[in-house]
Amino acid sequence: MVRTIIPAILALAFLAAPAAAEFNKVSDRATFLQLVTGKTLSRPLVRLQVTPAGAIKGRGASWDVTGAWSWQGGYFCRDLNWGGDDLGYNCQEVRANGNRVIFTSDRGAGQSAEFRLR
């Protein structure tokens, strides 16, 4: 009897647990700036700052990262240089949850990178 009750209790506990926190789309420049101003976007081997004046600066895997950004049509659009290599221009969807931000290239249709805000 106990062997059948415990799985049922566990199943109910998982159903009652809140869903994993969702990342909400950041759709305007002001909200984006509230998230990133004065903070460092970090992930393993990468530390970046995005300034209100439209600059991107930092380090990625021991190389300098520099660039410029603007907000266009609900997307973070950036032109980036990493260690002397031009990574080009790309508009990215931004989603946030607390101190975590996900950037997804090609207006949300490409690859994603998650950063912590520190």
Side-chain angles (χ1 to χ4, degrees):
M1 174 90 173
V2 171
R3 291 178 73 172
T4 59
I5 293 174
I6 291 175
I9 291 171
L10 288 175
L12 288 174
F14 282 111
L15 290 174
E22 289 187 31
F23 282 78
N24 297 310
K25 184 173 180 185
V26 176
S27 57
D28 63 88
R29 184 180 192 277
T31 302
F32 177 73
L33 284 174
Q34 284 180 324
L35 286 169
V36 302
T37 299
K39 299 202 174 124
T40 298
L41 285 84
S42 65
R43 57 182 280 129
L45 302 176
V46 178
R47 303 286 180 272
L48 301 172
Q49 290 82 41
V50 177
T51 72
I56 301 170
K57 57 187 177 180
R59 303 277 291 171
S62 76
W63 289 289
D64 287 335
V65 175
T66 58
W69 73 275
S70 61
W71 195 266
Q72 298 177 14
Y75 296 96
F76 171 81
C77 298
R78 59 93 176 130
D79 199 1
L80 210 56
N81 185 291
W82 176 47
D85 291 334
D86 183 5
L87 299 182
Y89 182 81
N90 191 275
C91 291
Q92 303 179 351
E93 178 183 77
V94 179
R95 292 188 170 273
N97 180 343
N99 70 342
R100 297 183 306 162
V101 178
I102 296 175
F103 292 84
T104 305
S105 66
D106 303 326
R107 298 182 186 270
Q111 295 182 337
S112 297
E114 182 175 334
F115 290 85
R116 293 230 180 245
L117 295 169
R118 300 183 190 272

